[in-house]
Amino acid sequence: MTTAQLTKSFPGLERALYEELGKEGQLKEFREGEIILRKGQFIRSAVLLLEGTIKLYQEDEDGGEFFMYYIQPGEACAVSMICSHEQETSSVLATAATDSTVLLIPLSCMDQWMSHYKSWRQFVIQAYRSRYQELLNTISEIAFRNMDDRLEFYLRKQVKQFGKIIRFTHQEIANDLNSSREVISRLMKKMENNGWVILHRNSIEWIKDDFNAA
Amino acid sequence: MTTAQLTKSFPGLERALYEELGKEGQLKEFREGEIILRKGQFIRSAVLLLEGTIKLYQEDEDGGEFFMYYIQPGEACAVSMICSHEQETSSVLATAATDSTVLLIPLSCMDQWMSHYKSWRQFVIQAYRSRYQELLNTISEIAFRNMDDRLEFYLRKQVKQFGKIIRFTHQEIANDLNSSREVISRLMKKMENNGWVILHRNSIEWIKDDFNAA
DNA sequence: AGATCTGTGTAACTTAAGTCACGCAGGCCT
DNA sequence: AGGCCTGCGTGACTTAAGTTACACAGATCT
């Protein structure tokens, strides 16, 4: 891992920190669909995402999985940073939404770098901030909004992440929203009638392009 | 503010850090019901809670308030730490559930202390971790559980916080759970029939003492 | 081609939760 | 006492969402 490569994903860090990252970090690849972090798993290193997309879920005792947010290249998995500091286990599920490359940082480095590098402190704080914010958004959605709003919100997230062709089945969407296939089909049909989407087999095409309005 | 007093609420910090806390921190009192942090407000200092209880809400655009968790003495408001680092505004509402004393830390100290004091780094990380965890719990609850479970969970939180006499009206509980008074009254009646609570005017008595079982 | 599987559409029904309407009891004020 | 306000109880109804059941179309396999 060269400094140049790291700079692309994680701009603005101190020169010496890039070298540490390259020296201490361990590269690991995950294929689409693989589980990166399982609920209840111990974590021995912080996870920085170099390439790909990670999908974060909250898991229920009885099999439910609730999608919370995506992690982008250049971002870190806040849970991994949190857990790596004590002997606590992950309470979330992280999977590779696409083939992904991550950099694993031994937890022993975390505290050292915190004291040495201002940019690392900022990076960590920023990681927490944005993840915390995502959770707040998620709470807002499920506490205050109905299924139709939430579905729209969900679809917009996919479009932002992967483009206007959303390659999910209704069943997969239902799982992500902790709803049922029929409900999603119904709402989706309504959206199609409103001219927001075109429904295909195995995919949905987002055609509403006023990308801001409610 | 003497080191002795600070030690009581925040044990295990470095000696020099206590002095800094005493020197830089500014005491502020809030009376029960007062708003400590409003949604959209700028934050110029981190908030550490010395005495009392702070109640944290997620606020909706149209007036809804959704209770998320309590902050205890010795804990910090994670949002305030997050926000103080950039020009972002608070996205939550914090009120004093009881008369409270807080210590305000200028944001300029945050980064300095982060690099100098290991115990401060741990404190900050710990603050993030526990708050993040609270949000995850909250999400679990509203994503996977029905109102009756959520109400039970809510009441248990109150009992843990304030004891077996819960001094809330049904209306206030309904607001906290983003539900309606009638629904809460109904569920509460069911709980009374099951022998879990005794309902009084303006208060609820929790009498189920197997404090672990579902 | 025929058989099978997976994803989608839809009607009919159930259930949880929210809403409307009203009654009533206890506290408080005059 | 009489009047009034606030909090609670409850029945009747509406609505959102989950469930059951089935039909059908396109893809894949043989």
Side-chain angles (χ1 to χ4, degrees):
Chain A
M1 202 77 230
T2 68
T3 296
Q5 288 169 295
L6 285 167
T7 313
K8 226 184 291 173
S9 301
F10 300 94
L13 304 182
E14 278 114 334
R15 192 169 288 271
L17 181 51
Y18 284 121
E19 276 164 41
E20 296 245 39
L21 277 165
K23 206 176 65 189
E24 304 286 348
Q26 186 196 338
L27 279 177
K28 188 157 179 187
E29 312 247 337
F30 291 92
R31 305 209 64 78
E32 178 173 334
E34 268 191 279
I35 292 179
I36 295 175
L37 192 57
R38 191 174 260 106
K39 178 165 178 165
Q41 187 177 324
F42 277 104
I43 306 167
R44 292 161 315 283
S45 41
V47 177
L48 305 195
L49 182 59
L50 288 164
E51 273 172 80
T53 313
I54 295 177
K55 208 167 173 182
L56 238 92
Y57 296 92
Q58 169 74 301
E59 241 182 331
D60 189 32
E61 288 86 51
D62 11 296
E65 295 167 9
F66 184 82
F67 170 64
M68 296 191 296
Y69 53 80
Y70 285 115
I71 297 176
Q72 318 280 351
E75 295 183 338
C77 174
V79 183
S80 70
M81 294 171 128
I82 280 169
C83 295
S84 64
H85 265 257
E86 305 207 0
Q87 241 53 10
E88 296 215 7
T89 59
S90 163
S91 48
V92 301
L93 170 70
T95 67
T98 63
D99 291 355
S100 298
T101 311
V102 304
L103 191 65
L104 300 175
I105 310 293
L107 78 93
S108 57
C109 297
M110 294 284 296
D111 187 69
Q112 251 185 50
W113 296 356
M114 280 287 246
S115 72
H116 291 2
Y117 301 108
K118 187 183 172 85
S119 67
W120 181 250
R121 289 195 289 277
Q122 284 172 341
F123 177 77
V124 171
I125 297 284
Q126 166 63 27
Y128 284 127
R129 209 236 328 263
S130 61
R131 292 316 118 191
Y132 192 89
Q133 195 57 52
E134 298 271 16
L135 289 196
L136 286 178
N137 289 344
T138 304
I139 288 177
S140 252
E141 243 184 279
I142 48 183
F144 300 124
R145 302 289 159 213
N146 288 0
M147 210 56 206
D148 47 1
D149 282 1
R150 289 174 49 199
L151 177 57
E152 186 191 337
F153 206 81
Y154 175 86
L155 293 176
R156 285 182 189 278
K157 265 193 234 173
Q158 308 312 315
V159 171
K160 215 169 116 194
Q161 191 70 223
F162 302 116
K164 301 214 164 202
I165 307 287
I166 301 161
R167 290 177 208 291
F168 286 130
T169 66
H170 295 182
Q171 184 62 62
E172 289 171 316
I173 296 173
N175 291 344
D176 278 5
L177 292 172
N178 196 50
S179 175
S180 72
R181 203 262 313 162
E182 294 87 335
V183 172
I184 301 301
S185 284
R186 261 200 306 256
L187 295 175
M188 213 69 104
K189 206 65 197 168
K190 223 186 274 177
M191 285 188 157
E192 187 174 49
N193 291 337
N194 291 343
W196 297 15
V197 294
I198 299 171
L199 302 179
H200 306 281
R201 188 191 175 82
N202 289 313
S203 76
I204 295 140
E205 198 180 339
W206 184 264
I207 55 172
K208 196 187 186 195
D209 44 13
D210 71 324
F211 208 77
N212 312 309
Chain B
M1 202 75 232
T2 69
T3 296
Q5 290 169 294
L6 284 168
T7 312
K8 225 185 292 173
S9 302
F10 300 93
L13 303 182
E14 277 112 336
R15 192 169 287 272
L17 181 51
Y18 284 121
E19 277 165 40
E20 296 244 39
L21 276 166
K23 205 177 64 190
E24 305 286 349
Q26 186 196 340
L27 279 177
K28 188 156 181 191
E29 311 247 338
F30 291 93
R31 304 209 63 78
E32 178 173 333
E34 268 190 281
I35 292 179
I36 296 175
L37 192 57
R38 193 174 259 105
K39 177 166 177 162
Q41 189 176 324
F42 276 105
I43 306 168
R44 292 162 314 284
S45 41
V47 177
L48 306 194
L49 183 58
L50 288 164
E51 271 173 81
T53 313
I54 296 177
K55 208 167 173 181
L56 237 93
Y57 296 92
Q58 170 73 300
E59 243 182 329
D60 189 33
E61 288 85 53
D62 12 296
E65 295 167 9
F66 185 83
F67 169 64
M68 296 190 297
Y69 54 78
Y70 285 115
I71 298 176
Q72 318 281 351
E75 295 183 338
C77 175
V79 183
S80 70
M81 294 171 127
I82 280 169
C83 295
S84 63
H85 266 257
E86 304 207 4
Q87 242 53 10
E88 297 213 7
T89 60
S90 163
S91 48
V92 299
L93 170 70
T95 68
T98 63
D99 291 356
S100 299
T101 313
V102 303
L103 191 64
L104 299 175
I105 311 293
L107 77 93
S108 57
C109 297
M110 294 286 294
D111 188 69
Q112 250 184 52
W113 295 356
M114 280 285 246
S115 72
H116 291 2
Y117 302 109
K118 187 182 170 84
S119 67
W120 181 250
R121 289 196 289 278
Q122 283 172 343
F123 177 77
V124 171
I125 297 284
Q126 167 62 26
Y128 284 128
R129 208 237 326 263
S130 60
R131 293 315 119 194
Y132 191 90
Q133 194 59 52
E134 298 271 16
L135 289 195
L136 286 178
N137 289 345
T138 305
I139 288 177
S140 251
E141 243 184 279
I142 48 183
F144 300 125
R145 302 289 158 214
N146 286 1
M147 211 56 202
D148 46 1
D149 282 1
R150 289 175 49 200
L151 177 57
E152 186 191 336
F153 206 82
Y154 175 86
L155 293 176
R156 285 181 188 279
K157 265 193 236 174
Q158 308 311 316
V159 171
K160 216 170 114 192
Q161 191 70 221
F162 301 115
K164 301 214 164 204
I165 307 288
I166 302 161
R167 291 177 208 289
F168 286 130
T169 66
H170 296 182
Q171 184 62 63
E172 289 170 317
I173 295 173
N175 292 343
D176 277 5
L177 292 172
N178 197 50
S179 175
S180 74
R181 204 261 313 159
E182 294 89 331
V183 173
I184 301 301
S185 284
R186 265 202 301 257
L187 294 175
M188 213 71 103
K189 207 64 195 169
K190 224 185 275 178
M191 285 187 158
E192 188 173 47
N193 292 338
N194 292 341
W196 298 15
V197 294
I198 299 172
L199 301 179
H200 306 281
R201 188 190 176 82
N202 287 314
S203 75
I204 294 141
E205 198 180 339
W206 184 264
I207 55 171
K208 196 189 186 194
D209 43 13
D210 69 326
F211 207 78
N212 313 308

